[in-house]
């Protein structure tokens, strides 16, 4: 069965930022709900304290690892929640995320939320996704 994705954009400003306002997904047979991924090692140790760019890249690597384990990739991502303790610090580095999603050919529905803190001290960003295949 082939997954069909249809972008829903009553406004188009978000497309330039790498995300659609919504996506209709049909024909999928499997849905993966990913827990939030942060900048941690394979042993769960926090890495890159205070470095937003490095944390964002590693969080995305960790999200891709979960997708890969489920025989999926960023191309299957239909929903992405971005949690950060510093929205202003995240924006200059957001291109890292947008470019990797663009390279995968996706612009998942996305929400960015500023939060007081994340589960592990020193963590600045957490990525939570939903993927379909």
């Amino acid at each position: 069965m082939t997954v069909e994705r249809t972008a829903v954009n009553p406004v188009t400003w978000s497309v330039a930022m790498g995300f659609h306002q919504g996506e209709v997904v049909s024909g999928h047979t499997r849905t993966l709900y990913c827990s939030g991924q942060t900048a941690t090692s394979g042993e769960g140790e926090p890495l890159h304290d205070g470095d937003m760019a490095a944390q964002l890249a590693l969080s995305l690597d960790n999200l891709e690892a979960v997708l890969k384990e489920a025989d999926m990739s960023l191309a299957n991502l239909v929903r992405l929640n971005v949690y950060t303790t510093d929205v202003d610090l995240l924006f200059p580095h957001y291109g890292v995320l947008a470019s990797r999603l663009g390279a995968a050919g996706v612009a998942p529905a996305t929400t960015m939320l500023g939060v007081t803190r994340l589960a592990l001290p020193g963590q600045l960003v957490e990525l939570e996704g939903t993927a379909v295949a």
Side-chain angles (χ1 to χ4, degrees):
M1 186 173 261
T2 302
V3 173
E4 183 178 321
R5 298 165 65 134
T6 305
V8 178
N9 288 307
V11 296
T12 58
W13 62 264
S14 62
V15 176
M17 294 186 68
F19 68 95
H20 295 297
Q21 296 292 313
E23 284 197 355
V24 175
V25 180
S26 60
H28 67 286
T29 58
R30 297 186 313 129
T31 302
L32 172 65
Y33 300 94
C34 301
S35 293
Q37 300 299 308
T38 59
T40 56
S41 69
E43 293 74 39
E45 296 297 319
L47 299 174
H48 310 301
D49 190 29
D51 186 340
M52 178 64 82
Q55 285 194 24
L56 182 58
L58 183 53
S59 297
L60 193 51
D61 290 345
N62 289 340
L63 178 59
E64 282 190 288
V66 174
L67 292 166
K68 184 177 180 181
E69 186 72 17
D71 295 322
M72 295 185 189
S73 70
L74 287 178
N76 298 100
L77 206 59
V78 296
R79 178 83 180 136
L80 181 65
N81 293 330
V82 180
Y83 303 96
T84 182
T85 59
D86 192 333
V87 172
D88 294 328
L89 182 60
L90 177 60
F91 272 125
H93 304 289
Y94 201 81
V96 170
L97 179 59
S99 67
R100 285 178 63 181
L101 293 173
V106 297
T110 301
T111 298
M112 180 193 298
L113 295 171
V115 297
T116 304
R117 66 162 282 192
L118 297 170
L120 300 174
Q123 296 292 283
L124 302 172
V125 65
E126 185 167 334
L127 304 176
E128 175 187 72
T130 304
V132 297

